[in-house]
Amino acid sequence: MGNLCECLGNFFGRKNTNVRVSLPAVCFLWQIAMIVLFGIFVRYDEESDVKKWLELKESDNITSDIENDFYFRYPSFQDVHVMIFVGFGFLMTFLKRYSFSGVGFSFLIAAFGLQWALLMQGWFHSLDPVTATISIGVESMINADFCCAGSLIAMGALLGKVSPVQLMIVTLFGVTLFAVEEYIILDLLHCRDAGGSMVIHAFGGYYGLAISWVLYRPKLHQSKRLNGSVYHSDMFAMIGTLFLWMFWPSFNSAITDHGDGQHRAAINTYLALASSVLTAVAISSMSQKKGKLDMVHIQNATLAGGVAMGTAAEFMITPYGSLIVGFCCGIISTFGYLFVTPFLEKTLKLQDTCGIHNLHAVPGMLGGFIGAIVAALANEDVYGKEGLKSVFDFEGDFANRTPGTQGGFQAAGTCVAIAFGLVGGGVVGLILRFPIWGDPADDNCFDDEVYWEVPEEDEEEIIPPVLEYNNHMIHKHQDISESNFSVEQS
């Protein structure tokens, strides 16, 4: 397959980044397809349709509109929405000349992805067999945003190396794969994964890594000058980190059960995030002889506790257990940026621009297995008989399932998510290798000017010297005792 792609590449000649036809064609045709499919399948649910809501109020003796699920779920939806469009977008602005693309392409694929997700998740979870329609409400919107998160995570590994058309394809297949693996894990295996350690982070992380591995660029060093950050770009990325960090308790608790489940999920996530900050700072400082902190670690590893707490967030893991999860994941994630990412690129030829292996893939996998252990250890003394039924939904076909069996299925669900990510990513990577998608040449990566109209800089406003941060993540060739900053005269 690789030889075929190479032959086609030679046939088409040098990469052509002109997407004037392909990008509008994809956007227009796919949006028209969404309009048609929504017209055929999508309807308001009983709490957003005026006629159905009035009938529901009468049949269930609901006396006030405030009991509509919108008023309970919408604050969580807004928090998750901010994470998807602001948090993820700004987290990808660290590259010195790729901030337009980091924010703009995140905006594009999330806007498309949420529409496709409403359809895909609807077909798998809420398709009415009688009317063949999908009912959507505020919880559907939250789940669609969750679905987009998987593709945004995958984008992190590909950042700067692919075209917007390729990112749309990544999202099309990513949302489709997500809906299938989510159905298998949550419905068929009956796993609990409120914050998506398995279905979102493990899947999205390994999906992006597999694509990046297939799209390996042996001459990417030709764009090395742009594969790094400057002072202000790291500051913008830190804005994304803070938005994600603050709203992650909402992310992990948004679709949990009303009452104690949502309350507990927010507390557990809150504590795990706080703990991961301290250990990430500690390891970052220890890694330098003079104890200087690396902004890469602070931007990313401080979030690892929230990723790892996704599955177990609604379980009775205890407050100190949450702190332990954050403590360990802050260490593991920071070590990943220090040692694992350079090893993956050198040995496995895997170029991971944002280091999603250390923030999403590994913490997501660990979160899935942590959830399996906590589920297997659940008992009536801690949860109560009714509590076990409530937390793990031991009802209907799963009424006789034991906590030990549930733990086994949770572990199996984690493996399913990883397998879907790796296999699906490998296939999508092969599709993206065909030289027809407008991706940049090796010497033209990480540059907004390839796909954006970039305003000219006013030379009079540039005050030399400029402090330039050159060692983003894996590009650390100077001795670690040296300062991370170098002065560059304009």
Side-chain angles (χ1 to χ4, degrees):
M1 188 70 179
N3 292 333
L4 175 60
C5 292
E6 185 176 351
C7 291
L8 286 172
N10 294 332
F11 175 77
F12 283 100
R14 181 175 172 81
K15 290 181 181 293
N16 183 2
T17 57
N18 187 339
V19 292
R20 187 181 183 185
V21 174
S22 59
L23 183 58
V26 167
C27 290
F28 273 119
L29 291 176
W30 290 10
Q31 187 57 59
I32 291 170
M34 293 300 103
I35 293 171
V36 173
L37 291 172
F38 268 64
I40 296 172
F41 291 103
V42 179
R43 303 291 183 269
Y44 297 121
D45 69 4
E46 61 183 2
E47 296 195 45
S48 55
D49 183 287
V50 59
K51 181 180 179 181
K52 293 178 181 178
W53 171 240
L54 292 174
E55 291 174 349
L56 182 66
K57 285 175 66 177
E58 183 177 353
S59 63
D60 291 5
N61 197 27
I62 297 173
T63 58
S64 172
D65 285 334
I66 203 70
E67 295 184 49
N68 191 297
D69 199 40
F70 172 85
Y71 297 101
F72 180 80
R73 297 290 187 192
Y74 190 73
S76 295
F77 162 71
Q78 278 290 65
D79 290 353
V80 173
H81 216 44
V82 169
M83 289 180 68
I84 296 300
F85 286 92
V86 179
F88 277 102
F90 273 89
L91 187 63
M92 298 186 192
T93 61
F94 63 88
L95 292 170
K96 64 182 74 173
R97 294 286 297 176
Y98 210 68
S99 295
F100 281 15
S101 300
V103 174
F105 293 161
S106 296
F107 192 11
L108 172 65
I109 68 175
F112 164 68
L114 67 87
Q115 298 176 70
W116 184 226
L118 286 169
L119 286 165
M120 286 301 303
Q121 291 180 313
W123 285 327
F124 277 100
H125 295 287
S126 59
L127 184 67
D128 188 319
V130 177
T131 63
T133 58
I134 299 165
S135 297
I136 64 170
V138 66
E139 191 167 333
S140 307
M141 294 158 61
I142 296 173
N143 282 316
D145 275 3
F146 282 169
C147 194
C148 292
S151 296
L152 288 170
I153 290 167
M155 172 184 167
L158 310 172
L159 193 68
K161 301 173 293 185
V162 293
S163 71
V165 178
Q166 287 177 306
L167 287 174
M168 292 287 280
I169 295 170
V170 167
T171 306
L172 177 71
F173 286 99
V175 168
T176 305
L177 289 166
F178 181 98
V180 176
E181 58 108 16
E182 181 190 44
Y183 175 74
I184 293 172
I185 293 170
L186 301 186
D187 288 39
L188 300 184
L189 299 182
H190 194 64
C191 296
R192 303 292 289 172
D193 191 27
S197 289
M198 295 184 286
V199 298
I200 299 173
H201 299 286
F203 164 75
Y206 286 107
Y207 177 60
L209 291 171
I211 296 173
S212 183
W213 180 72
V214 175
L215 297 181
Y216 174 69
R217 291 171 175 261
K219 298 180 181 179
L220 189 62
H221 63 274
Q222 295 177 1
S223 293
K224 179 183 174 181
R225 70 196 185 282
L226 296 178
N227 188 9
S229 60
V230 291
Y231 192 86
H232 66 269
S233 68
D234 265 337
M235 197 65 246
F236 277 117
M238 193 63 195
I239 293 172
T241 297
L242 292 174
F243 270 104
L244 291 169
W245 197 93
M246 289 188 299
F247 290 132
W248 217 294
S250 294
F251 190 90
N252 283 355
S253 64
I255 59 171
T256 51
D257 294 336
H258 294 197
D260 66 289
Q262 188 166 45
H263 196 168
R264 186 168 55 252
I267 292 173
N268 289 336
T269 307
Y270 175 82
L271 294 173
L273 284 164
S275 184
S276 63
V277 172
L278 272 69
T279 51
V281 169
I283 298 300
S284 181
S285 179
M286 288 172 59
S287 67
Q288 296 280 358
K289 287 183 179 179
K290 293 186 178 181
K292 293 187 178 182
L293 298 173
D294 191 328
M295 189 56 106
V296 179
H297 308 151
I298 309 308
Q299 289 165 354
N300 295 279
T302 53
L303 301 171
V307 175
M309 188 49 65
T311 299
E314 62 180 328
F315 301 165
M316 293 285 288
I317 192 173
T318 74
Y320 79 87
S322 301
L323 291 174
I324 292 172
V325 171
F327 183 95
C328 295
C329 286
I331 295 172
I332 293 169
S333 182
T334 310
F335 270 114
Y337 282 98
L338 286 167
F339 304 111
V340 179
T341 296
F343 171 82
L344 290 177
E345 178 163 354
K346 181 178 179 180
T347 306
L348 299 183
K349 309 302 181 185
L350 200 163
Q351 296 158 331
D352 179 7
T353 307
C354 291
I356 66 169
H357 177 269
N358 313 309
L359 175 55
H360 297 284
V362 171
M365 175 185 66
L366 292 175
F369 289 126
I370 289 168
I373 294 170
V374 176
L377 296 176
N379 57 70
E380 290 188 11
D381 292 338
V382 176
Y383 288 80
K385 186 175 181 179
E386 292 302 317
L388 284 175
K389 291 181 180 180
S390 174
V391 172
F392 298 104
D393 280 345
F394 288 159
E395 298 175 347
D397 294 337
F398 307 98
N400 296 323
R401 181 175 286 189
T402 64
T405 303
Q406 181 67 31
F409 277 100
Q410 294 282 153
T414 305
C415 296
V416 169
I418 295 171
F420 263 80
L422 291 174
V423 177
V427 173
V428 173
L430 290 174
I431 294 172
L432 297 183
R433 284 197 63 176
F434 286 94
I436 58 175
W437 309 118
D439 53 314
D442 292 333
D443 61 350
N444 212 21
C445 293
F446 313 113
D447 193 348
D448 275 336
E449 289 191 8
V450 177
Y451 301 110
W452 296 85
E453 288 290 344
V454 178
E456 294 183 3
E457 296 180 354
D458 188 345
E459 295 183 0
E460 295 180 359
E461 295 182 1
I462 299 177
I463 304 174
V466 178
L467 290 177
E468 182 175 346
Y469 188 56
N470 286 319
N471 71 335
H472 196 281
M473 205 160 62
I474 60 176
H475 301 286
K476 301 184 178 182
H477 299 297
Q478 73 264 39
D479 185 83
I480 59 172
S481 65
E482 297 176 1
S483 171
N484 288 341
F485 292 89
S486 62
V487 178
E488 180 182 292
Q489 299 289 338
S490 63

